[in-house]
Amino acid sequence: MSQTVSPEISPSTPSRKRTWPADFKDRLTCPLPDFREVLSVAWHGGIRPDIGDADQIPVLRAGLPPVLPVETAVTWVGHATYVLRIGGLTVLTDPVWSRKIPGVRQRLTPPGLAWSDLPHVDAVVISHNHYDHLDAPTIRRLPRGTPMFVPANLGSWFTRKGFKDVTELDWWESARVGEVSFDFVPAHHWSRRGLRDTCRSLWGGWVLTSPHQRVYFAGDTAYGDRFEQIGDRYPGIDLALMPVGAYEPRWFMRVTHVNPAEAVRACGDVGARRMATMHWGTFVLSGEPLMAPVREAREAWEAAGREPSDLWDMAIGETRVLSGDRSPFHTV
């Protein structure tokens, strides 16, 4: 059981009471699909694949194995949710334990870890406010004192629900819990929770660094030059948690999500030795066959000449462990 540690804001981060712009549309790198394009995809069935092979999605619900203080363990719960144990902390990424989220059919596979098996949570990181990444029923199950690290201008969503320890960050800003730094980094994406709040809050990924390992959680992202920027600022990433699903039809999804080949390329751009797949096998958000994301990720990884064992194409519920110290990190 990890101990509760209050977050500390690094000198690079201003006061928690922030004044944000009206929106972050200037951070977009591509125009968003317009209503006619969305209607066209829906009308032609572009996001309704056959789910007859859902039983092929691997599920391994074995609980959480023990982890040493000098190790980092990642357990895939499903979609973009990981239980990340790093630097003596337990951290959740975009936690979604709900059976169903608005707008899509119920999840194809159960959460890889029962909520009752979850240890004390030391922190939660949120990439953006889309419903498949920010799930209100799951968030409400957490103690109100849980430290929440969220994108700029998303903090009020949590404080309205009674959370008392909410830290908003802009890109390249950092906070710390114990010996672990939480750095918010850019992504090629966007945000919207309702009809009138497009890009009112920011979006991004997270780099978590302990004295022993460094992990990059990409959140939700298309491909672009921001990956190289992350790699330049945070050298020595041991593991990239990368989305590989929700990419077809490509003409529609390319401004929102990487495809598997782009995920592998992005892993190289950030300089990560290993890549763990996510954002597939849980919710049906797009038109590719259910097993295509992991199959194509394996093909792209092999084509790139990467070491096969460094692709962590994990089963839902599976845990893998990073061990051993790396050379000292250069932090920003």
Side-chain angles (χ1 to χ4, degrees):
M1 182 73 68
S2 53
Q3 297 179 346
T4 303
V5 184
S6 298
E8 300 175 0
I9 309 303
S10 75
S12 64
T13 305
S15 166
R16 294 189 194 188
K17 293 184 179 181
R18 313 290 295 271
T19 300
W20 301 112
D23 62 56
F24 295 90
K25 291 180 181 178
D26 61 324
R27 310 284 184 101
L28 294 171
T29 47
C30 289
L32 298 177
D34 61 28
F35 177 75
R36 291 172 298 177
E37 292 174 319
V38 174
L39 186 63
S40 175
V41 171
W43 179 262
H44 293 291
I47 54 175
R48 295 195 298 272
D50 180 11
I51 63 169
D53 55 354
D55 60 346
Q56 297 182 32
I57 300 170
V59 178
L60 179 65
R61 300 189 80 193
L64 292 178
V67 59
L68 298 174
V70 296
E71 295 176 330
T72 293
V74 295
T75 303
W76 189 34
V77 176
H79 203 55
T81 304
Y82 271 90
V83 177
L84 175 57
R85 290 177 289 163
I86 181 170
L89 305 180
T90 297
V91 181
L92 302 183
T93 69
D94 288 357
V96 179
W97 261 260
S98 292
R99 186 179 183 186
K100 194 176 188 308
I101 59 174
V104 299
R105 67 182 80 190
Q106 69 182 36
R107 65 192 301 154
L108 300 170
T109 47
L113 182 73
W115 186 265
S116 58
D117 290 337
L118 195 62
H120 170 82
V121 175
D122 296 289
V124 173
V125 295
I126 300 295
S127 64
H128 65 300
N129 69 354
H130 288 160
Y131 284 94
D132 57 320
H133 294 259
L134 178 56
D135 180 54
T138 299
I139 295 297
R140 289 193 186 101
R141 299 174 77 172
L142 291 161
R144 295 305 183 265
T146 305
M148 298 284 174
F149 295 99
V150 306
N153 208 30
L154 191 56
S156 61
W157 189 93
F158 292 86
T159 57
R160 288 196 302 268
K161 291 171 174 54
F163 286 90
K164 306 180 186 307
D165 197 344
V166 182
T167 302
E168 295 179 317
L169 296 180
D170 202 343
W171 290 347
W172 309 124
E173 291 182 346
S174 176
R176 178 174 291 272
V177 178
E179 293 187 313
V180 179
S181 66
F182 294 70
D183 292 72
F184 191 49
V185 296
H188 295 272
H189 205 60
W190 58 294
S191 69
R192 184 168 65 200
R193 192 82 179 169
L195 295 176
R196 300 181 179 179
D197 65 346
T198 300
C199 298
R200 293 282 181 87
S201 61
L202 196 50
W203 54 91
W206 294 89
V207 175
L208 276 66
T209 306
S210 77
H212 308 284
Q213 288 93 26
R214 172 170 279 167
V215 176
Y216 165 55
F217 168 64
D220 215 353
T221 182
Y223 184 76
D225 61 1
R226 290 170 179 166
F227 293 112
E228 287 190 358
Q229 296 171 19
I230 294 166
D232 289 342
R233 285 183 177 243
Y234 302 96
I237 293 173
D238 296 283
L239 173 66
L241 309 178
M242 290 294 304
V244 297
Y247 55 90
E248 291 291 352
R250 198 72 199 124
W251 65 267
F252 180 73
M253 290 293 188
R254 65 179 179 81
V255 301
T256 302
H257 297 140
V258 292
N259 63 23
E262 289 170 335
V264 171
R265 183 178 176 186
C267 179
D269 290 347
V270 300
R273 174 181 171 182
R274 307 169 187 86
M275 183 180 93
T277 57
M278 65 176 188
H279 210 267
W280 76 281
T282 308
F283 297 110
V284 178
L285 303 174
S286 54
E288 72 272 2
L290 296 186
M291 296 301 296
V294 70
R295 183 183 68 247
E296 293 181 17
R298 291 166 181 163
E299 293 170 353
W301 194 261
E302 180 181 4
R306 305 290 297 262
E307 175 64 37
S309 62
D310 287 339
L311 177 62
W312 290 8
D313 46 355
M314 299 164 65
I316 291 173
E318 183 179 353
T319 298
R320 297 201 188 184
V321 178
L322 292 167
S323 60
D325 287 331
R326 300 293 299 276
S327 57
F329 296 120
H330 170 68
T331 57
V332 179

